[in-house]
């Protein structure tokens, strides 16, 4: 095939276009695969952060909120509906409350609506908890600007990690939203 465009035949041009198209499709496939792998790394980092934080969050739930049952990565399937809770905790008797904790390595605004939906739908998916008051805790390592304050304004507890321990960051006297 000649490199001078004026000397190229239509067959040469067609072959060049087909080769370019093949390379483009291969590049596109590689980019999609790379995106899938990067997404997988993000999930693994999130699970790593959850695993690191779980012991301190469990202590916080037991001491501060008097939870007697703490379940990490709690999965529920009811019919065609499915939900995974990063941490689901509850207590019976005098406390009679359930707490849904959502961990994020990077906390973005969307996490607020996600957690509120999880708290609201809890009695539909975990029927044994339907008579309990429910609250939410949004826990994260790195928070986008203003998100912590927005979460608190929505009635959610917030927590962040300091020295390998999760601590509540809600102000003194904070009154959470309690779903019935």
């Amino acid at each position: 095939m000649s490199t001078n465009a004026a000397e190229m035949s239509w067959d040469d041009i067609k072959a060049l276009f087909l080769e370019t198209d093949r390379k483009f499709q291969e590049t596109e496939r590689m980019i999609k695969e790379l995106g899938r792998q990067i997404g997988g790394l993000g999930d693994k980092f999130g699970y790593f952060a959850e695993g690191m934080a779980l012991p301190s969050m469990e202590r916080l739930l037991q001491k501060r909120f008097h939870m007697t049952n703490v379940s990490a990565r709690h999965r529920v399937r009811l019919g065609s509906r499915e939900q995974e809770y990063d941490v689901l905790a509850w207590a019976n008797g005098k406390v009679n409350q359930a707490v849904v904790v959502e961990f994020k390595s990077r906390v973005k605004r969307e996490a607020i609506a996600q957690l509120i939906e999880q708290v609201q739908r809890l009695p539909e998916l975990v029927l044994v908890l339907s008579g309990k008051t429910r609250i939410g805790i949004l826990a994260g390592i790195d928070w986008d600007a203003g998100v912590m304050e927005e979460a608190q304004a929505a009635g959610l507890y917030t927590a962040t990690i300091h020295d390998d321990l999760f601590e509540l960051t809600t102000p003194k006297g904070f009154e959470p939203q309690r779903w019935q």
Side-chain angles (χ1 to χ4, degrees):
M1 199 169 12
S2 174
T3 56
N4 183 346
E7 297 176 5
M8 292 178 73
S9 72
W10 282 111
D11 287 339
D12 291 339
I13 293 171
K14 183 178 174 183
L16 187 59
F17 276 123
L18 289 172
E19 178 63 16
T20 302
D21 184 58
R22 186 192 63 74
K23 287 181 180 178
F24 177 77
Q25 288 178 14
E26 176 65 14
T27 302
E28 188 175 31
R29 186 197 61 74
M30 290 169 62
I31 290 171
K32 284 180 182 177
E33 175 63 18
L34 185 59
R36 187 190 64 74
Q37 289 175 0
I38 290 171
L41 284 175
D43 288 346
K44 286 186 184 352
F45 180 69
Y47 290 144
F48 174 73
E50 288 173 27
M52 255 182 38
L54 186 60
S56 68
M57 182 56 72
E58 190 170 359
R59 279 191 299 279
L60 177 72
L61 289 165
Q62 290 169 342
K63 289 182 180 175
R64 171 74 165 78
F65 297 98
H66 311 289
M67 297 292 103
T68 55
N69 302 283
V70 179
S71 177
R73 296 186 66 201
H74 190 95
R75 293 184 187 165
V76 177
R77 245 182 236 117
L78 187 61
S80 63
R81 296 171 18 186
E82 186 175 330
Q83 179 69 52
E84 180 177 318
Y85 299 95
D86 291 343
V87 175
L88 180 58
W90 66 93
N92 299 317
K94 186 177 170 185
V95 175
N96 202 34
Q97 180 169 265
V99 180
V100 177
V101 181
E102 179 67 23
F103 284 111
K104 298 289 184 190
S105 51
R106 171 106 189 240
V107 188
K108 299 179 182 181
R109 193 160 276 104
E110 307 84 68
I112 297 169
Q114 177 187 356
L115 178 55
I116 289 172
E117 182 180 350
Q118 288 179 6
V119 174
Q120 289 174 336
R121 292 184 59 209
L122 181 65
E124 300 167 18
L125 295 171
V126 186
L127 303 176
V128 297
L129 300 180
S130 64
K132 298 190 178 308
T133 301
R134 301 172 317 277
I135 61 173
I137 301 175
L138 187 54
I141 297 171
D142 182 33
W143 292 74
D144 280 0
V147 173
M148 189 178 292
E149 294 77 9
E150 284 184 43
Q152 292 167 2
L156 299 171
Y157 279 98
T158 55
T160 192
I161 198 160
H162 293 288
D163 299 325
D164 296 331
L165 296 175
F166 263 102
E167 298 172 351
L168 290 178
T169 54
T170 43
K172 204 171 200 122
F174 174 78
E175 280 300 315
Q177 168 74 38
R178 294 181 191 280
W179 285 268
Q180 297 294 329

